[in-house]
Amino acid sequence: MTRIFSGIKPTGHLTLGNYLGAVRQWVAADQGPDEALFCVVDLHALTVEHDPARVRRLSRQVATLFLASGLDPEKCTLFMQSHVDEHTRLSYVLECTATDGEMRRMIQYKEKSAQAQASGEGVRLSLLTYPVLMAADILAYGTEEVPVGEDQRQHVELARDLAVRFNQRYGQTFTVPKVTLPEVAARVMDLQDPTSKMGKSGGAGPGVVFMLDEPGVIRKKVMRAVTDSGDGGVVYDREARPGVANLLDVLAACTGGDPAALAEGYSGYGALKRDVADAVVELLRPVQERHAELAADPAAVEKVLRDGAGRARAVARPIVDRAYRAIGLLEP
């Protein structure tokens, strides 16, 4: 089996984009306890201003949604990043391999540091270096494939570069991973701004559909989605018609159809929006029902996370110990 690793930050409520672009793909992958590892990357949530109680609350919610979406702790390893010390142990070693220039070229650093400065906040050093921690998350497990959304491709490429550089300098230590993307809806866009990603950290905007939104809320958001000016009808064109293309991508991801082919069945935006709303509501209904059941038994979720951390630690420790020896550190 191919070993895969992926994770999501608990910086906001999970969105339809998180589900279609990542979580559902994880559920569909071949899973084995030592071969499929999925993580709530809570340390990454500390790189910007945050409320500690909210981070803890969202961390539990994300883990619960992972389970509600179909990740089976008997078939995969589900854990909290901060519960496995190997992540931070390896991160420092990789900081000694990465360069300042690589960090400053990362697109998300440029965007988030500009946002922090504009709001009068200081830019935390961890915001600059967190792509190295993400590389450590991946490389600590001998990961072969990283199923993520399109916006995370650059970070996986950094992990590849660091693995190759470390191996060349200090001897064969790390597996060089590759990114895998879903065929459609790899990057679900904001319904009000179809040129921007549907992000969980952007507040409760009308263009963001959250996984736990009630059906009525989902329908209202989809029916108010921005479409494109002009009389060209419903056509699939990401460049010229981003709003309609986003709706078609979502519908295709929900129903298994082809976006361009689906467009041919519509003469107007209203019918398309109604079908998209219905498809999203039905897609999320069983997840929401299962989430309610799991949220009523938080001790069971916590046990899954404890057991998962133990399994993750057993996989990561030999690899991180090998990296310590390779780079020149004495064994304790």
Side-chain angles (χ1 to χ4, degrees), residues 169 282 291:
R169 289 179 179 176
E282 290 308 310
H291 175 270

Side-chain angles (χ1 to χ4, degrees), residues 87-148:
H87 291 256
T88 50
R89 287 182 62 208
L90 183 56
S91 182
Y92 181 75
V93 167
L94 294 179
E95 284 185 14
C96 298
T97 308
T99 67
D100 176 76
E102 285 175 313
M103 297 300 98
R104 297 187 185 280
R105 287 193 295 271
M106 303 302 287
I107 294 172
Q108 289 201 16
Y109 171 72
K110 293 179 180 179
E111 294 176 349
K112 292 183 178 180
S113 61
Q115 292 170 2
Q117 291 172 338
S119 63
E121 300 173 0
V123 179
R124 301 186 180 195
L125 179 61
S126 57
L127 184 62
L128 177 66
T129 60
Y130 93 89
V132 177
L133 176 57
M134 182 173 175
D137 298 338
I138 296 167
L139 299 182
Y141 297 99
T143 304
E144 296 165 280
E145 293 185 1
V146 188
V148 294

Side-chain angles (χ1 to χ4, degrees), residues 276-299:
V276 172
D278 288 344
V280 172
V281 167
E282 290 308 310
L283 180 75
L284 294 180
R285 187 189 306 279
V287 177
Q288 293 178 351
E289 292 173 352
R290 179 59 176 151
H291 175 270
E293 296 172 359
L294 291 165
D297 188 8

